[in-house]
Amino acid sequence: FGIARAMNEAQITLPGTTMGSVHYFSPEQARGENATFASDIYALGILLYELIVGKPPFDGKSLLSVGYEEMRRIIREVEPVKPSSRLGTLVGEERTQLAKARHVDPAKVGCLVEPDLDWIVMKAIDKDRTRRYETVNGLALDIQRFLADEPVSATPPSAAYKFRKFARRNKTALLAGAGVAMVLVAATIVSSWQAVRATEA
């Protein structure tokens, strides 16, 4: 942590540099952009994820094994699974070890995370840095609210936001689909017009 540092009131690192451990890289670092304090909040979110699940959303060794460009693409584009969902997929020794560490029955491992805690983590590691917590204090306050059974500020993203993210990732497919839809609409209009003319004749 502490990758972002204040320099003349701007929270930046040198452009184009990659600093830190691979599985703590923020999406903006993977894009080669400046790291801001939002990058540290992202790293704290990954650490919180790791504390809950026992592993980060993207394993460092697996990321390094796929090559630099693919690693950067995964960090930039692939949405991590919520901690509660990830816990539900743990099996065998992994599940047993986590159950021992949490002092619960292995069958109950999948029920360890409440929805509010899921959203705190997912807000901290959002791909869009403008949607993350603005400060580390904001993240800490939400965790305190959660522990005190108070409402948290983190909420699931809206359907409109999810669609915008989907559209940005799948521009080509959506444009092609829109083109096909327009052709079909035009064909329907033309055939209807010809049917009306034929009926009149």
Side-chain angles (χ1 to χ4, degrees):
F1 307 121
I3 288 170
R5 57 192 182 275
M7 298 172 66
N8 300 324
E9 299 182 1
Q11 295 81 46
I12 61 169
T13 55
L14 297 175
T17 59
T18 306
M19 303 171 69
S21 302
V22 172
H23 53 274
Y24 294 111
F25 281 176
S26 63
E28 55 269 23
Q29 286 175 280
R31 286 192 295 269
E33 297 172 7
N34 292 339
T36 67
F37 287 129
S39 306
D40 276 350
I41 289 168
Y42 180 90
L44 285 169
I46 296 290
L47 180 61
L48 182 56
Y49 191 109
E50 199 169 353
L51 287 169
I52 295 166
V53 179
K55 55 170 67 176
F58 305 115
D59 178 61
K61 286 181 182 177
S62 301
L63 285 174
L64 289 171
S65 69
V66 296
Y68 186 64
E69 288 305 319
E70 178 62 8
M71 175 195 79
R72 291 176 65 198
R73 187 198 68 78
I74 290 169
I75 294 170
R76 287 192 315 263
E77 299 174 13
V78 177
E79 292 292 341
V81 178
K82 290 186 296 185
S84 58
S85 301
R86 184 75 179 274
L87 284 173
T89 65
L90 295 179
V91 292
E93 189 61 26
E94 256 186 341
R95 193 180 187 92
T96 305
Q97 285 181 350
L98 190 66
K100 275 184 184 175
R102 301 291 187 270
H103 306 290
V104 295
D105 186 271
K108 295 182 179 177
V109 163
C111 307
L112 286 174
V113 182
E114 294 178 34
D116 281 353
L117 187 55
D118 262 341
W119 296 123
I120 289 171
V121 174
M122 299 311 284
K123 181 179 174 75
I125 64 173
D126 200 296
K127 301 287 185 192
D128 181 350
R129 61 181 164 192
T130 64
R131 287 181 48 82
R132 292 179 210 149
Y133 290 96
E134 291 182 9
T135 63
V136 173
N137 192 45
L139 170 58
L141 283 172
D142 242 5
I143 292 171
Q144 287 171 0
R145 289 187 196 105
F146 170 75
L147 292 172
D149 285 327
E150 296 172 2
V152 300
S153 67
T155 54
S158 66
Y161 176 77
K162 285 182 181 175
F163 179 76
R164 281 199 306 274
K165 294 279 280 184
F166 174 80
R168 204 173 294 157
R169 285 196 311 270
N170 300 280
K171 266 185 195 167
T172 308
L174 285 173
L175 286 171
V180 169
M182 286 175 69
V183 168
L184 288 172
V185 168
T188 303
I189 291 169
V190 169
S191 62
S192 298
W193 176 66
Q194 286 179 338
V196 168
R197 286 189 65 190
T199 303
E200 287 174 351

